[in-house]
Amino acid sequence: MSEPSRLLLKLGQRLFVNEAEWIAFCDCLIHPQPLYPCILWRDTKPDDSPFALEPALFWQPEFIDRLALGQQPGKHPWHDRGAFYCLDFSSVFAISPLLQLSPPVECIIDVCAAPGGKSIFAWRVLHPHLLLSNEVIGKRTGALISNLKRCHISPSVVLSMDSKILAQEIPNTAQVVLVDAPCSGQSLIAKGGKAPGCFHPVTIKNNANRQKRILANSAQLVAGQGYLLYMTCTYSPEENEQVAEWFLERFPHFQAVAVPHLSDYQSYLTRLPAYRLFPQSGLGAGAFTILLQNTLDEPARNLPPDFLERRRGQKL
């Protein structure tokens, strides 16, 4: 992209009141800059890192390292042994509300799990007795299975089920449910990738409708007093704040939960405690996140005894 399209300019002006901010935002998409590599250590990280590191943010968990530009952790032999997982710091930002929850938890369900980074983060933080990593798109399950196996994430099971079927078969079973929702993928451009049509209103509307369906189904998986974490890697308010507001109107027994360590990233597009990372921050390509809690007191249900046997999941 050599210059901002009309739709990109319009989006930038909606997202930022300050002209300098929306110009900087658009420039990051027109001229993508290298992003700092980031790794998640599966176990205690070594005292002497094999990589050059960037300074840690005050809220950054000890098992996350931001690496200096030019580092190639994926080529290090420890990667193949599963010592760490490579991810964008935007993903760390989006999943970081889990840091304020208390481990261990009985069950975590990651509804849109591939390629697996957020499942691994949740496993690392909350030590679940069972992690169900679900990916409905068949061609993406291979990478999910490979990453969870490589990093020795256990006990975990990979599923490939539509969120509606999950809600019907195992309602109210999870203390934590993750929804990294399929979206228009606008932040891919900040990584130097392509996302054709990602700023078009029809693309955005179709994605927002899909997100609402997945989120509504996922809400039924959350046990009383449990949490639902909604995330995207896109910028459009229709796929972020507006989906969250729609959800809370539809499911009034959920409430949005403040995440103090992200207070500097509060979205001013909503009164809800919802948080945004933009590419001009220099931390990552961008993300949206909001933590929601089921306020009902009903106890969690057990998984049906034959559920895992009936489903063609891959036990790890």
Side-chain angles (χ1 to χ4, degrees):
M1 189 185 301
S2 59
E3 59 182 34
S5 67
R6 177 182 60 83
L7 292 175
L8 173 55
L9 282 173
K10 184 177 179 180
L11 174 61
Q13 292 165 352
R14 290 176 62 203
L15 292 175
F16 304 100
V17 175
N18 183 288
E19 181 179 3
E21 278 293 313
W22 67 255
I23 290 175
F25 167 75
C26 292
D27 189 65
C28 284
L29 274 66
I30 301 166
H31 306 109
Q33 299 299 308
L35 298 173
Y36 293 98
C38 180
I39 59 175
L40 182 161
W41 292 96
R42 183 198 181 277
D43 298 310
T44 303
K45 65 183 179 182
D47 293 332
D48 296 321
S49 175
F51 307 110
L53 305 181
E54 289 293 305
L57 304 185
F58 78 90
W59 58 265
Q60 188 174 311
E62 52 83 21
F63 58 86
I64 293 290
D65 278 337
R66 293 191 306 125
L67 312 186
L69 292 177
Q71 303 292 288
Q72 296 180 310
K75 295 183 178 181
H76 194 282
W78 289 0
H79 176 270
D80 289 343
R81 298 207 301 263
F84 57 79
Y85 181 87
C86 303
L87 71 171
D88 181 1
F89 195 75
S90 296
S91 295
V92 176
F93 172 91
I95 195 74
S96 72
L98 296 188
L99 295 172
Q100 67 184 45
L101 306 186
S102 299
V105 300
E106 185 64 32
C107 179
I108 296 174
I109 302 176
D110 189 350
V111 178
C112 310
K118 294 184 175 70
S119 280
I120 295 171
F121 188 105
W123 177 88
R124 183 70 169 77
V125 171
L126 296 177
H127 314 302
H129 296 154
L130 178 63
L131 170 64
L132 299 179
S133 295
N134 182 71
E135 178 54 57
V136 71
I137 301 175
K139 65 182 180 180
R140 290 169 59 87
T141 57
L144 175 61
I145 292 169
S146 176
N147 285 326
L148 296 183
K149 277 188 171 182
R150 178 177 59 81
C151 293
H152 313 288
I153 305 303
S154 180
S156 63
V157 176
V158 172
L159 304 171
S160 186
M161 302 171 62
D162 187 84
S163 60
K164 180 178 180 180
I165 305 301
L166 276 174
Q168 291 172 348
E169 295 208 8
I170 52 172
N172 307 113
T173 52
Q175 285 71 37
V176 177
V177 175
L178 311 178
V179 178
D180 184 11
C183 63
S184 56
Q186 293 162 350
S187 70
L188 292 175
I189 298 176
K191 298 178 182 180
K194 296 181 180 180
C198 66
F199 300 114
H200 195 282
V202 172
T203 300
I204 293 169
K205 181 179 179 180
N206 288 342
N207 277 283
N209 288 337
R210 178 170 56 172
Q211 290 155 357
K212 290 174 181 177
R213 185 184 75 84
I214 294 171
L215 200 56
N217 291 330
S218 299
Q220 299 176 59
L221 302 171
V222 184
Q225 299 300 306
Y227 294 89
L228 174 61
L229 183 58
Y230 175 64
M231 304 159 278
T232 79
C233 62
T234 199
Y235 310 124
S236 299
E238 292 86 352
E239 300 177 74
N240 295 314
E241 291 87 357
Q242 291 178 27
V243 169
E245 291 167 352
W246 171 90
F247 175 83
L248 290 171
E249 290 178 3
R250 175 89 176 263
F251 297 88
H253 58 287
F254 277 82
Q255 65 179 12
V257 179
V259 181
H261 73 261
L262 295 182
S263 60
D264 289 344
Y265 303 92
Q266 168 68 41
S267 170
Y268 66 83
L269 299 175
T270 181
R271 295 182 178 180
L272 299 174
Y275 308 96
R276 289 237 195 195
L277 184 70
F278 287 106
Q280 64 267 33
S281 70
L283 295 175
F288 170 88
T289 189
I290 183 168
L291 182 64
L292 306 157
Q293 184 176 25
N294 182 350
T295 62
L296 300 179
D297 289 324
E298 57 189 15
R301 298 182 185 180
N302 294 324
L303 287 176
D306 63 341
F307 172 73
L308 297 179
E309 284 71 24
R310 286 188 290 109
R311 287 294 164 185
R312 295 181 179 179
Q314 170 103 20
K315 294 184 180 180
L316 304 176

